[in-house]
Amino acid sequence: MARIIDVIEAPDQGAQELVVRLPEVGSGDFRFGSQVIVRESQRAVFYRDGKSLDLFEPGRHTITTANLPILSRLLRMGTGGQDIFTAEVFFANMREFTDMKWGTPEPITLRDTDLGLVRLRGFGQYTMQIADPKRFVDQFVGTQGMYRTGQINDFLRSAIISRMTDMWGENMTSILDLPRLFDELSAAMRATLQDDFTAMGLALKQFRIVSISPTEETAKAIDERASMGAIGDMAAYMQFKTARALGDAAQQPGGAGGTGEGLGLGAGIGLGAGMAGMITNAMNASQPPAQPAPGAPNPPAAPQPPIPPQPPAAPAVMTLEQAAAYLQVSPDDIQALIDDGSLQARRIGNQYRIARQAIDDFLAG
């Protein structure tokens, strides 16, 4: 003889359990007069023959024809008025689930006004709650057997990514503008997804975008774009790229010698220009003075002013010290100009590199 369930309750419903089914497998034997105990954070749905029938609110209930009107009509017709019947009871967890996460499994390709095409990844969190237990049981539990948040998370993530891709495609201008729009995009996504969640018997309580990040290729394009903006013109940018390549080569095994040769060549060019000026001045000084006319007294020899040393030619890309020498100020003065944005420079590791053209533009302005 089948065991009749006299007390129907789910006292140990876990934090990740959306629904608890009683009994766990098959149908249970109940009778009028049995007790149904529904806790404050639960709703109980009676289920029979693949359909949700009657709903119990929080409290202690005695099963009667009054509180099971739909099921009672079916039973009277099919059992000849007997008090024992078979059914399933689903206890829906009505608490707010706050640990739900979403993320893009693959980067989303979008148009960008500054970079052309970009590929982005997104990640965030949301909170949800069962709003309509009967509808949720009909759509997910009764037909698909989804009882825990982990089982439904993939389904909800697909709906979120679909809406997210559509919204980004319609509102995307530049990836550089996205960080200041997180709150607006989060609010728009919550409003857009609300109807989808309602159709599933759920309520979307909060939605938050935590991060929108570019792929490695897009990040490199952003770095290149920032480098060009800092340098100003393409010729100076190419010189900057050459200087950075020398620095990268120095980090490679066996690269110190090649880098030293390149730096020696640049220093040699500047030193050669300075020596050329000094030789020219020395040759001019070594020429004999004009001879006076015969019989005229020899004028006293005028003292020759000292020949100032010629500074080497300034390189196209300078360090803080070189830029300070070029402007005849201290390195701290150059650092202050960089910090307040008056002088454009590029930070490489712990050092700065300043284009000579940027210094000339600063002086001209």
Side-chain angles (χ1 to χ4, degrees), residues 278-290:
M278 295 175 65
I279 293 172
T280 301
N281 292 332
M283 291 179 63
N284 292 335
S286 64
Q287 291 181 359

Side-chain angles (χ1 to χ4, degrees), residues 201-220:
L202 298 170
L204 180 61
K205 309 298 288 185
Q206 297 182 32
F207 186 91
R208 181 163 55 252
I209 296 175
V210 175
S211 171
I212 299 177
S213 59
T215 60
E216 183 177 352
E217 295 80 4
T218 302
K220 288 181 179 178

Side-chain angles (χ1 to χ4, degrees), residues 136-323:
F136 181 76
V137 169
D138 285 340
Q139 294 200 17
F140 288 98
V141 181
T143 59
Q144 301 184 40
M146 294 183 178
Y147 298 99
R148 300 178 63 85
T149 56
Q151 294 173 290
I152 197 175
N153 199 28
D154 290 341
F155 183 88
L156 296 177
R157 185 187 298 116
S158 299
I160 291 172
I161 298 306
S162 176
R163 295 292 188 182
M164 178 74 73
T165 303
D166 182 66
M167 174 167 290
W168 285 3
E170 291 179 354
N171 298 280
M172 176 76 173
T173 55
S174 173
I175 184 177
L176 307 178
D177 298 330
L178 286 180
R180 64 182 179 86
L181 298 175
F182 275 15
D183 290 342
E184 290 81 356
L185 290 174
S186 296
M189 279 297 299
R190 182 176 179 274
T192 301
L193 289 167
Q194 200 64 258
D195 290 341
D196 295 335
F197 275 64
T198 300
M200 295 181 282
L202 298 170
L204 180 61
K205 309 298 288 185
Q206 297 182 32
F207 186 91
R208 181 163 55 252
I209 296 175
V210 175
S211 171
I212 299 177
S213 59
T215 60
E216 183 177 352
E217 295 80 4
T218 302
K220 288 181 179 178
I222 295 173
D223 289 342
E224 295 291 335
R225 181 75 169 79
S227 299
M228 293 179 65
I231 295 302
D233 61 72
M234 185 57 68
Y237 175 65
M238 294 306 297
Q239 294 172 345
F240 164 72
K241 291 281 286 184
T242 301
R244 188 166 66 176
L246 291 174
D248 293 340
Q251 305 300 322
Q252 303 298 323
T259 303
E261 294 174 1
L263 293 175
L265 177 59
I269 293 174
L271 181 60
M275 291 182 64
M278 295 175 65
I279 293 172
T280 301
N281 292 332
M283 291 179 63
N284 292 335
S286 64
Q287 291 181 359
Q291 296 296 326
N298 292 329
Q304 297 292 330
I307 301 174
Q310 297 296 320
V317 179
M318 308 181 198
T319 64
L320 279 176
E321 291 73 14
Q322 291 172 328

Side-chain angles (χ1 to χ4, degrees), residues 30-187:
F30 306 95
R31 63 182 170 188
F32 291 105
S34 296
Q35 300 292 306
V36 180
I37 301 175
V38 184
R39 284 158 175 78
E40 190 65 33
S41 61
Q42 296 175 330
R43 300 294 186 274
V45 181
F46 271 77
Y47 211 82
R48 180 182 171 91
D49 298 330
K51 295 181 180 179
S52 60
L53 301 174
D54 297 288
L55 175 70
F56 282 89
E57 297 289 336
R60 188 181 186 95
H61 308 272
T62 300
I63 298 179
T64 65
T65 57
N67 55 26
L68 280 180
I70 302 175
L71 184 58
S72 298
R73 287 196 297 269
L74 296 175
L75 293 174
R76 298 302 179 188
M77 292 186 294
T79 64
Q82 295 183 7
D83 289 340
I84 299 175
F85 60 92
T86 59
E88 304 96 45
V89 182
F90 293 90
F91 286 87
N93 193 342
M94 303 300 293
R95 65 180 288 271
E96 188 171 324
F97 295 90
T98 60
D99 54 353
M100 308 295 290
K101 297 179 175 60
W102 65 268
T104 53
E106 297 292 335
I108 301 174
T109 303
L110 300 165
R111 293 187 181 276
D112 189 283
T113 54
D114 293 321
L115 303 175
L117 290 177
V118 295
R119 304 180 71 220
L120 304 178
R121 293 186 178 93
F123 167 78
Q125 297 175 324
Y126 64 98
T127 63
M128 69 169 191
Q129 187 177 31
I130 296 177
D132 188 338
K134 293 182 66 174
R135 178 177 295 182
F136 181 76
V137 169
D138 285 340
Q139 294 200 17
F140 288 98
V141 181
T143 59
Q144 301 184 40
M146 294 183 178
Y147 298 99
R148 300 178 63 85
T149 56
Q151 294 173 290
I152 197 175
N153 199 28
D154 290 341
F155 183 88
L156 296 177
R157 185 187 298 116
S158 299
I160 291 172
I161 298 306
S162 176
R163 295 292 188 182
M164 178 74 73
T165 303
D166 182 66
M167 174 167 290
W168 285 3
E170 291 179 354
N171 298 280
M172 176 76 173
T173 55
S174 173
I175 184 177
L176 307 178
D177 298 330
L178 286 180
R180 64 182 179 86
L181 298 175
F182 275 15
D183 290 342
E184 290 81 356
L185 290 174
S186 296

